[in-house]
């Protein structure tokens, strides 16, 4: 079974899934660029155990590109399945137009999607043009499914996959005992402090400024670690200094194993993003027995978090409720539930789901 997959850049979690999938199929992945501009170099470096190449052509901005390389490969080789992951770059648009023009069936895959409440009719027509018309679709959650349907996909052609950045082996067997947590985090917090973590790119959409304003109204005994890099780093540092928030500490971008360790010794993960088409960090936190408090603007949270079971979903404009959830002692009892949720959402399962969708696609052609 020969599979062609066009993907923007070699994100480690996707490379991990490709490695698993490549054990079952003859997989060739064509990356549009070697890295996404906004990513820390530490983000990359996963070993690739599948055939791959990088597109030739123009590359600019965070992720855009223009290349005819995908079409050259599609013309040159005969593939049992072609997967186009997204439509936003000029390379993806060009490839989709070619496939449609020549009536070549393909799977259209997305990493997530959110329907805009107010959208220019011209933009909607463009999205519908490029999203519609695939023989099959791949998406990670119900919100993303509604996104695909909104822009022209047929409901019966949509397949789900468990989108994950976690292997089965990464998931801890049971939550750490409170005594162990306190001992392990002595360098990060005093023994009498509650330790919460947030992680992500320090950009406006991730809403860290608002999180800091919320934290200002919490007791000093509540410590917050913010892990990440980005344009707003200096602004965040100035704000915490100005407000004398000694219970907030900024950490640089953390490698996956270091971030998971940090999660395993914390009391809660908090994520008040204004918009996330998915959000791998949610399942990463759950995998370490860490309950999640998240805004209702994050697809991964809406997909994985059950209120009062493994965390809480909150609204961004309800600060009092957010604080109430942070102070809720039931968070300390949710660890096993978090782990059980994560066990159902692994890279291995993602590869199984994807293989099933590919096999059904081939049978349908």
């Amino acid at each position: 079974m020969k599979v062609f997959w066009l993907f923007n850049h070699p994100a480690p979690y996707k490379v991990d899934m490709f490695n698993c999938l490549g054990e079952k199929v003859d997989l060739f992945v064509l990356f549009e660029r070697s890295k996404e501009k906004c990513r820390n170099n530490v983000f990359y470096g996963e070993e690739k155990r599948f055939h791959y190449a990088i597109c030739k052509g123009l590359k600019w901005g965070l992720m855009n590109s223009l290349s005819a390389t995908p079409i050259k490969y599609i013309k040159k080789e005969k593939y049992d399945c072609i997967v186009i992951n997204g439509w936003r770059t000029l390379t993806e648009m060009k490839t989709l137009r070619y496939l449609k023009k020549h009536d070549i069936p393909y799977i259209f895959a997305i990493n997530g999607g959110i329907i805009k409440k107010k959208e220019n009719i011209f933009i909607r027509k463009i999205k519908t043009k490029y999203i519609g018309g695939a023989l099959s679709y791949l998406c990670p959650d119900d919100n993303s499914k509604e996104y695909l349907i909104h822009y022209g996909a047929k409901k019966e052609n949509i397949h789900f996959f468990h989108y994950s950045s976690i292997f089965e082996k990464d998931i801890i067997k049971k939550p750490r005992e409170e005594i162990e947590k306190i001992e392990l985090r002595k360098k990060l917090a005093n023994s009498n402090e509650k330790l919460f973590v947030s992680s992500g790119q320090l950009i406006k959409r991730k809403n860290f400024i608002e999180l800091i304003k919320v934290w200002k109204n919490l007791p000093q005994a509540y410590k917050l670690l913010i892990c990440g890099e980005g344009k707003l780093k200096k602004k965040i540092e100035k704000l915490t200094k100005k407000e004398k928030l000694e219970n907030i500490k900024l950490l640089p971008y953390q490698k996956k194993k270091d971030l998971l360790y940090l999660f395993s010794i914390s009391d809660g993960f908090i994520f008040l993003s204004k918009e996330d088409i998915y959000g791998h960090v949610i399942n990463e936190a759950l995998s370490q027995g860490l309950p999640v408090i998240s805004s209702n603007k994050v697809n991964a949270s809406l997909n994985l978090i059950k209120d009062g079971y493994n965390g809480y979903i909150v609204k961004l404009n309800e600060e009092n409720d957010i604080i109430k959830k942070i102070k809720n002692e039931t968070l300390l009892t949710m660890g096993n539930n978090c782990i059980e949720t994560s066990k159902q959402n692994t890279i291995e399962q993602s590869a199984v789901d994807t293989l099933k969708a590919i096999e059904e696609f081939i049978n349908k052609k």
Side-chain angles (χ1 to χ4, degrees), residues 172-184:
I172 60 174
K173 290 183 171 62
K174 63 178 184 177
R176 294 186 189 273
E177 297 291 341
E178 195 62 26
I179 295 174
E180 183 187 10
K181 283 184 179 181
I182 290 170
E183 185 63 30
L184 290 172

Side-chain angles (χ1 to χ4, degrees), residues 231-245:
K231 293 180 179 178
L232 293 182
K233 185 175 182 177
K234 289 184 178 179
K235 185 175 181 179
I236 291 170
E237 288 174 336
K238 285 181 180 179
L239 180 60
T240 55
K241 188 175 181 180
K242 178 185 175 183
E243 300 292 343
K244 298 179 180 178
L245 296 172

Side-chain angles (χ1 to χ4, degrees), residues 46-193:
E46 297 292 301
E47 179 190 2
K48 301 173 186 67
R49 299 190 301 276
F50 52 88
H51 307 296
Y52 76 96
I54 307 293
C55 284
K56 295 179 180 178
L58 300 174
K59 292 147 194 181
W60 68 94
L62 293 178
M63 57 185 291
N64 219 330
S65 69
L66 175 58
S67 173
T69 306
I71 295 172
K72 289 178 181 178
Y73 274 99
I74 291 168
K75 284 181 177 180
K76 181 181 175 183
E77 302 284 345
K78 182 173 175 58
Y79 296 101
D80 298 300
C81 178
I82 294 171
V83 184
I84 309 299
N85 216 124
W87 67 272
R88 292 181 180 278
T89 71
L90 294 182
T91 299
E92 291 156 3
M93 290 180 183
K94 186 179 180 72
T95 307
L96 287 166
R97 288 198 302 270
Y98 176 82
L99 293 171
K100 291 172 187 286
K101 180 180 178 181
H102 295 276
D103 294 319
I104 300 171
Y106 61 92
I107 295 176
F108 183 84
I110 60 171
N111 306 325
I114 295 174
I115 300 169
K116 302 289 186 184
K117 288 183 178 180
K118 293 181 180 180
E119 185 171 58
N120 182 289
I121 190 168
F122 177 68
I123 299 297
R124 180 171 179 176
K125 283 183 178 180
I126 290 175
K127 287 183 179 180
T128 303
K129 174 183 177 180
Y130 286 104
I131 292 174
L135 184 61
S136 295
Y137 294 85
L138 269 170
C139 76
D141 61 272
D142 286 330
N143 271 7
S144 300
K145 178 182 178 180
E146 292 305 314
Y147 170 89
L148 288 173
I149 294 170
H150 184 73
Y151 293 112
K154 292 182 180 179
K155 182 179 179 179
E156 62 270 21
N157 294 336
I158 299 173
H159 300 266
F160 285 111
F161 68 98
H162 291 79
Y163 201 19
S164 181
S165 56
I166 291 292
F167 284 110
E168 291 172 2
K169 64 179 176 61
D170 295 325
I171 303 171
I172 60 174
K173 290 183 171 62
K174 63 178 184 177
R176 294 186 189 273
E177 297 291 341
E178 195 62 26
I179 295 174
E180 183 187 10
K181 283 184 179 181
I182 290 170
E183 185 63 30
L184 290 172
R185 67 192 189 199
K186 278 183 177 178
K187 292 181 180 179
L188 296 169
N190 295 326
S191 59
N192 63 334
E193 288 181 328

Side-chain angles (χ1 to χ4, degrees), residues 209-221:
I209 298 295
E210 191 61 34
L211 174 58
I212 290 168
K213 290 177 181 178
V214 169
W215 221 261
K216 182 182 175 182
N217 295 311
L218 281 160
Q220 279 292 316

